[in-house]
Amino acid sequence: MALSHPDSAPDWFWPSWAAEARLPQFHLRDTKSSHGRYAQDIKVITGKDLVKFHGHACDGLFRAMLALEQGLAALFPDRMIDRTDLRVRSHNSPCLGDVAAYLTGGRIRFNTQDVEHRSGVWFVLQRISTEQAVEVHELPGVYPPELAAEEARLLRAAAASPEEIDRLREAQWDWVRYRLLAQ
């Protein structure tokens, strides 16, 4: 059994601090085709891969990645995630939903992914074969209220300036780098 070679080198969309961070890697077992048998080799998915799928690195992507690491470890203690054996539900957020879909293989059209508008970073994961389910969520207060308030303010603003958006992103990156990943 071979593992794919993960790529976490810095790139224009993957900052050097993220490339150097101790982030989870997800080992995924998949099938060879839509009607195929399991592949013998294992895919290794990194945060950089999640950014390629989602489109950009953001605090939501890091928060989702770390939360799903915990939930998937509970369902797959050997850390070999079988994406054909999962259902997922998450907050109706593009960031959380994209990370959930990519790591679990969940698809709305197959009733293996669902979203609901309940605030916060949370996921309900179910291993279909065993019916075991877990819920993981970010504890209240982990994300600074001042960042959440600034996000909400900019969303409500008729037009946020590029400088305001840049300041928010830098504040979010500082929080991810020096608080979230430092825990």
Side-chain angles (χ1 to χ4, degrees):
M1 182 179 326
L3 292 176
S4 63
H5 300 287
D7 170 24
S8 59
D11 212 321
W12 68 268
F13 58 89
W14 188 239
S16 59
W17 61 262
E20 296 164 5
R22 292 176 46 118
L23 295 173
Q25 292 185 350
F26 300 89
H27 295 189
L28 304 177
R29 184 174 189 216
D30 280 316
T31 56
K32 291 181 182 181
S33 69
S34 62
H35 293 82
R37 298 178 184 93
Y38 281 113
Q40 294 300 309
D41 298 326
I42 302 301
K43 294 176 189 155
V44 179
I45 303 300
T46 66
K48 184 176 179 181
D49 296 318
L50 294 171
V51 170
K52 288 178 185 177
F53 178 75
H54 179 56
H56 60 264
C58 61
D59 67 287
L61 181 132
F62 284 92
R63 296 162 75 188
M65 178 177 28
L66 295 174
L68 283 167
E69 175 190 28
Q70 300 300 310
L72 291 168
L75 294 177
F76 298 94
D78 65 355
R79 303 284 181 158
M80 194 63 57
I81 301 161
D82 183 347
R83 290 199 287 192
T84 69
D85 194 19
L86 281 167
R87 285 191 186 104
V88 63
R89 176 177 289 179
S90 69
H91 172 65
N92 188 17
S93 149
C95 307
L96 304 181
D98 281 356
V99 174
Y102 195 78
L103 289 177
T104 68
R107 302 290 186 270
I108 290 173
R109 68 182 165 273
F110 296 130
N111 286 329
T112 55
Q113 181 182 21
D114 198 6
V115 296
E116 71 179 67
H117 191 67
R118 180 176 65 158
S119 63
V121 175
W122 60 270
F123 299 91
V124 177
L125 298 158
Q126 182 188 36
R127 189 169 180 172
I128 297 167
S129 63
T130 65
E131 297 185 0
Q132 178 187 9
V134 297
E135 181 171 350
V136 293
H137 60 276
E138 190 175 81
L139 296 174
V142 168
Y143 192 65
E146 60 273 10
L147 287 180
E150 183 62 6
E151 284 179 3
R153 186 186 76 76
L154 291 180
L155 283 173
R156 287 189 310 271
S161 73
E163 294 79 19
E164 289 175 304
I165 294 168
D166 290 346
R167 274 194 303 275
L168 175 60
R169 181 174 185 225
E170 287 308 312
Q172 290 170 326
W173 277 154
D174 286 347
W175 176 76
V176 169
R177 292 168 71 180
Y178 303 119
R179 304 292 281 169
L180 183 65
L181 297 179
Q183 297 179 17

